[in-house]
Amino acid sequence: MKLDILAFGAHPDDVELGAGATIAKEIAKGKKVGIVDLTRGELGTRGTAEIRDKEAAAAAKILGVSVRENLGFADGFFSNDRQHQMAVIDMVRKYKPEIVLCNAIDDRHIDHGKGSNLVSDACFLSGLVKIETKHPDGKPQEAWRPKVVYHYIQWKNLDPDFVVDVSGYITEKTKAILAYGSQFYDPNSEEPETPISSKNFIDSINYRARDLGRMIGVDYAEGFNVERFVAVDSLENLI
């Protein structure tokens, strides 16, 4: 299956939090989108890996993504090394996305920055023909390099390099996030409190999107960072 967009997240729920509305919008426009989680989030204070597996599947259904996979890397301890790069390369070559989305360039959780660097490096390496990988049936995979890699914004309020108008899609994003009932605000939960389990954090999803939207004259927006110049073919492409 060839995808238009492949979104990577260090943990289940990273993609939804950073780019859920953008993904919902692209799917509504007819794009095929997939999600690859690097870990199962097993070190999370709340919930379990098994619970988060089910929540991730439910969130994927809400967004309407074509496929969701989990690479099973060790939460908190994966590295940007050959072994992990090869696993990401396999996913990139398997789905041949034009666009890759991945974790924030810099963030509070150490896995987010690591995941960002890992996926970005693997996307470059995936285009090198002398790196050999194989399909499950043993046939060689073709080299493939996505056209662009965009980094969504997470905990830290990074200045975006560009923003996407997601007005009309914030509801889908919120529903997908709340599918992770073990992780976020629940006044009846007896689980320990975490930085993302407060009502303020859930509210921040809305007011951050509204603030970015305000900056470009729309209701809601999501921000992204890039490592390289973003090219447009006409000034009319800019809002």
Side-chain angles (χ1 to χ4, degrees):
M1 181 192 302
K2 185 183 184 313
L3 298 176
D4 299 297
I5 301 170
L6 187 58
F8 288 86
H11 313 103
D13 75 28
D14 282 356
V15 171
E16 290 86 349
L17 286 166
T22 298
I23 287 172
K25 181 176 183 177
E26 293 296 330
I27 291 172
K29 291 165 59 180
K31 299 294 179 64
K32 290 185 177 180
V33 182
I35 296 176
V36 175
D37 301 307
L38 302 183
T39 79
R40 297 174 69 202
E42 63 270 18
L43 293 184
T45 301
R46 296 160 68 103
T48 64
E50 292 74 20
I51 289 172
R52 296 186 77 170
D53 289 344
K54 295 177 181 178
E55 292 170 342
K61 185 175 182 180
I62 291 168
L63 291 179
V65 300
S66 299
V67 65
R68 185 167 204 155
E69 296 204 37
N70 194 301
L71 291 178
F73 295 167
D75 191 10
F77 293 98
F78 69 85
S79 302
N80 184 9
D81 58 17
R82 181 186 178 91
Q83 175 187 349
H84 293 87
Q85 289 165 357
M86 292 300 291
V88 175
I89 289 169
D90 182 73
M91 289 291 102
V92 173
R93 291 181 173 181
K94 179 178 181 179
Y95 292 113
K96 295 182 168 60
E98 304 297 324
I99 297 170
V100 162
L101 307 179
C102 63
N103 285 100
I105 292 174
D106 177 40
D107 211 38
R108 180 186 67 88
H109 197 300
I110 62 170
D111 280 355
H112 296 171
K114 286 193 298 180
S116 171
N117 291 331
L118 168 59
V119 172
S120 180
D121 289 351
C123 284
F124 176 82
L125 293 170
S126 182
L128 301 180
V129 297
K130 290 186 177 180
I131 294 178
E132 298 180 357
T133 56
K134 295 182 179 181
H135 293 284
D137 61 7
K139 294 181 179 179
Q141 289 182 315
E142 296 179 3
W144 181 269
R145 184 175 294 149
K147 291 180 179 177
V148 291
V149 177
Y150 297 143
H151 303 260
Y152 46 81
I153 294 173
Q154 298 185 257
W155 180 270
K156 291 186 177 180
N157 288 321
L158 305 181
D159 291 330
D161 294 313
F162 70 91
V163 296
V164 176
D165 176 6
V166 294
S167 303
Y169 297 93
I170 200 70
T171 298
E172 285 86 349
K173 171 176 179 156
T174 303
K175 287 180 179 178
I177 291 169
L178 293 179
Y180 294 92
S182 69
Q183 301 302 301
F184 300 111
Y185 178 67
D186 178 358
N188 299 314
S189 175
E190 296 182 358
E191 294 265 25
E193 291 296 321
T194 72
I196 64 172
S197 68
S198 69
K199 186 176 185 300
N200 183 36
F201 179 78
I202 289 295
D203 292 342
S204 75
I205 296 165
N206 185 282
Y207 61 67
R208 171 186 270 177
R210 288 188 67 87
D211 191 49
L212 288 174
R214 173 185 64 83
M215 298 295 287
I216 61 170
V218 301
D219 289 335
Y220 295 97
E222 287 181 328
F224 296 85
N225 291 119
V226 297
E227 298 173 55
R228 300 172 182 84
F229 289 123
V230 175
V232 297
D233 60 11
S234 169
L235 291 178
E236 295 178 350
N237 293 143
L238 301 173
I239 297 177

